[in-house]
Amino acid sequence: FEKIPMKTPLVEMDGDEMTRVIWQLIKDMLLAPYIDLNLEYYDLGLPHRDETGDQVTIASANATKKYGVAVKCATITPNAQRMDEYKLHEMWKSPNGTIRAILDGTVFRAPILVKGIVPYIPTWEKPITIARHAFGDIYKNTETIVPAGSKAEIVVTKPDGSEERQTVHEFKESGGVFQGQFNVDESIESFARSCFNFALDTRQDIWFSTKDTISKKYDHRFKDIFQEIFDAEYAKKFTEAGIEYFYTLIDDAVARVVRSQGGFIWACKNYDGDVMSDMVATAFGSLGMMTSVLVAPDGTCEYEAAHGTVTRHYYKHLKGEETSTNSVATLFAWTGALRKRGQLDGNDRLVDFAGKLERATIDTIEGGVMTGDLAAMSTLPEIRKVNTQDFLIAIKEKLEALL
Ligand code: NAD
């Protein structure tokens, strides 16, 4: 087998714990033997983030901007317990948050479907991709607890110094809670463009939903921006691609999604996307089968698994015990990134390889060989539950046959 060359470097962001173990296995067993890997490596493992004062995370995001495609391993977001465990200098911020802030992207999460793993909603025959607007709203809110007898107001100071003042509530007998939130047109516009571009890229319809009947200014603004950008920049391209953009109230969207067959993208505001992506992931089955891609408005893409570092399995692994960790989402992060890199570089062999590796993975599971999380859910008559490494060996056998 003549190794596949790579023209432009792919940005590689290494990570933590069990996913870091899997990362190395995937590279050694399923990539390096077939591809002359051209990678720009950034170690986002927590010890190295700490050593570099988190500068490595920023550098990796900037490299992604430069080259256009990255693949990322799951990483620890430190909390108090991790401060002790890793003797950290600081409680570093979530790398995903830092990268997203630099790339200004939208996260698209989609399940990988296989025969034998039936979604809780059996009509879902095709994946449902959730696009979450990961900026603003309650995630950047200002809130306070209000004592009885207070008056809460909203004040906007305009550029000319004038004030627009509205009473939100007079707290007479009872105290309560009060919250201010915001979003900015620029971010909503980026979100809209990322969504429309991704829909064109993947040739899927896109739905967008908010609560604009209740929120007549805030949510309505989202709806208007989407429509204006769609009409001005995308309507024609969508017609040519044979796909649709469709706006509906979130209540209606929920009902339609549940009754649908899948096969579309559902764009959600920040909070809706947070909740709905967990709901959709659970309904499709395993976190180990959810992929995630961050798409910037300029088309830059960062691929990853939607799950975390699978800490429980890692501690078992450290004790020398056998693990059966699902590597599918991490593997599909690699194939997604390699396919995209191949498409941008006009590298057909790389694109073809990505497809074959995905095929080999799906065939392995559909052939009854799978990790513990899937074995617990599969409806196939004959199942062989395998450990982390043997699962990759089984995929490699299928891959060799396809190549
Ligand atoms: P997790 O996704 O690692 O695990 C959640 C649950 O799902 C666990 O029960 C786990 O066993 C199971 N699970 C997840 N992926 C699996 C797989 N591939 N195979 C088998 N089972 C799987 O999330 P968590 O436990 O909440 O967090 C662990 C660490 O991961 C934390 O330090 C957190 O900061 C980090 N995290 C990182 C990301 C990211 O980098 N994108 C996302 C979420 C969590």
Side-chain angles (χ1 to χ4, degrees), residues 15-19 22 46 49 72-79 81-82 85 94-96 109 286-289 292 302 304-313 324-330 371-374:
D16 290 298
E17 299 195 308
M18 200 60 208
T19 39
I22 288 173
L46 188 51
R49 269 183 280 150
K72 179 180 171 291
C73 180
T75 46
I76 293 170
T77 298
N79 55 16
Q81 183 245 320
R82 300 293 197 172
E85 185 182 354
S94 148
N96 286 48
R109 266 177 139 199
S286 168
L287 257 183
M289 301 294 277
S292 174
E302 181 237 296
E304 64 174 326
H307 59 76
T309 58
V310 209
T311 310
R312 201 167 47 81
H313 292 209
S324 182
T325 314
N326 189 341
S327 47
V328 173
T330 303
T371 47
D373 57 321
L374 297 181

Side-chain angles (χ1 to χ4, degrees), residues 119-175:
Y120 285 92
I121 299 183
T123 50
W124 288 359
E125 286 166 10
K126 291 180 229 161
I128 294 172
T129 303
I130 301 265
R132 173 181 172 194
H133 180 217
F135 176 79
D137 304 348
I138 61 162
Y139 300 84
K140 291 261 184 212
N141 73 2
T142 307
E143 54 182 21
T144 184
I145 296 190
V146 181
S150 314
K151 177 164 98 169
E153 293 175 288
I154 287 186
V155 181
V156 178
T157 311
K158 305 278 172 73
D160 64 4
S162 68
E163 281 185 356
E164 182 193 316
R165 187 175 285 266
Q166 295 180 61
T167 301
V168 175
H169 190 65
E170 306 234 16
F171 293 83
K172 291 189 177 128
E173 268 87 66
S174 172

Side-chain angles (χ1 to χ4, degrees), residues 192-213:
R193 289 198 178 92
S194 293
C195 286
F196 294 138
N197 285 339
F198 194 74
L200 283 170
D201 245 19
T202 59
R203 296 216 165 217
Q204 296 183 89
D205 289 349
I206 179 149
W207 304 8
F208 181 44
S209 58
T210 73
K211 192 75 176 173
D212 66 295
T213 48

